[in-house]
Amino acid sequence: TLTKTDRIAEAKEVMDYREGLKADAPPAPQPAMAASTSTTTPPAASPTTPAAPKVKGDDRKAAEWVLSVGGTVEIWENGVSHRKINTAADLPPGKLSLRSIGLNNNGNTLKAMADGDFQVFAGLERLESISTNKLTITPAAFEVFATCPALEEIQMQYNSLGDALWPYLAGVKKLRKMVQGFDGLPVQGIGISNLSRTTMEELVLGSTSIVDE
């Protein structure tokens, strides 16, 4: 977790970011006030999504955790190419950078995990893609990816996330492709405006129930 001795400041930044997201919720309606002849204050501007906290990522720690639960990773090589890694023994020595993470439990082979486990992904600067299939996590687990500046593709299948997922992706500024297939919860489109309008190219909801009310 981020609360180890040398990462207290980073944990505080993440907590502040979460509080900022809560502040984005629309304010409760106020009771009508009697007319007044005094000058009224103009309404405040609508809140915007707070900037993601700057967190120093640990790619090796993240890779080791993914591999320890049965997942796979891809690492950058020579700055441009990438290589798939299936076991911790295959990780090269020295500094490394993750390109993609695969947590696919279609064969029920992954170890159990919780939302908090995803904090290991905080601040991964070159992470571009993550795939999560058939996990028991909740939408809140995905909030950490706002701290991954290069992330552009998220694929999720056979989870139960529904519309509640989308607000947690508001901080993923370069998100280009999102797949939310075979979801156990219906999707109404609530919160879709949280997805990046400037970078989003593809939204796939294959075999996910879509309802209009």
Side-chain angles (χ1 to χ4, degrees):
T1 65
L2 293 179
T3 54
K4 290 187 177 180
T5 304
D6 60 344
R7 307 194 77 180
I8 295 298
E10 295 174 8
K12 184 177 183 301
E13 286 195 34
V14 172
M15 289 296 293
D16 290 343
Y17 175 67
R18 289 177 177 170
E19 291 301 319
L21 282 178
K22 293 178 182 178
D24 281 354
Q30 299 297 316
M33 301 295 291
S36 172
T37 56
S38 61
T39 303
T40 58
T41 303
S46 299
T48 57
T49 301
K54 294 180 180 179
V55 180
K56 183 179 180 182
D58 189 334
D59 289 71
R60 179 171 294 278
K61 181 179 179 181
E64 290 174 346
W65 179 80
V66 171
L67 296 169
S68 74
V69 298
T72 61
V73 299
E74 285 184 344
I75 61 172
W76 288 103
E77 289 189 325
N78 304 318
V80 290
S81 60
H82 45 87
R83 174 163 60 101
K84 187 174 182 178
I85 303 292
N86 295 302
T87 67
D90 294 329
L91 288 172
K95 185 177 179 179
L96 59 85
S97 294
L98 288 177
R99 176 192 174 272
S100 72
I101 292 167
L103 291 169
N104 301 315
N105 197 31
N106 293 336
N108 297 315
T109 56
L110 297 187
K111 294 180 181 179
M113 62 191 73
D115 290 358
D117 292 325
F118 272 34
Q119 289 300 313
V120 75
F121 302 137
L124 300 182
E125 292 187 355
R126 299 195 65 195
L127 181 68
E128 291 186 345
S129 173
I130 180 166
S131 174
T132 66
N133 289 357
K134 207 175 181 181
L135 303 184
T136 56
I137 55 175
T138 76
F142 290 84
E143 183 180 36
V144 69
F145 293 115
T147 68
C148 301
L151 187 63
E152 61 180 22
E153 182 173 340
I154 302 177
Q155 298 198 39
M156 305 150 289
Q157 298 194 85
Y158 299 100
N159 303 297
S160 293
L161 303 170
D163 291 303
L165 168 70
W166 298 356
Y168 288 103
L169 300 180
V172 184
K173 300 303 184 182
K174 292 188 177 180
L175 187 60
R176 177 182 57 81
K177 178 179 180 179
M178 177 176 144
V179 178
Q180 188 176 352
F182 299 93
D183 201 292
L185 296 176
V187 168
Q188 293 179 259
I190 300 172
I192 194 171
S193 61
N194 289 282
L195 303 182
S196 174
R197 299 182 182 182
T198 57
T199 62
M200 181 64 69
E201 298 176 359
E202 187 174 359
L203 174 61
V204 181
L205 300 173
S207 298
T208 291
S209 177
I210 300 175
V211 295
D212 58 6
E213 61 177 32

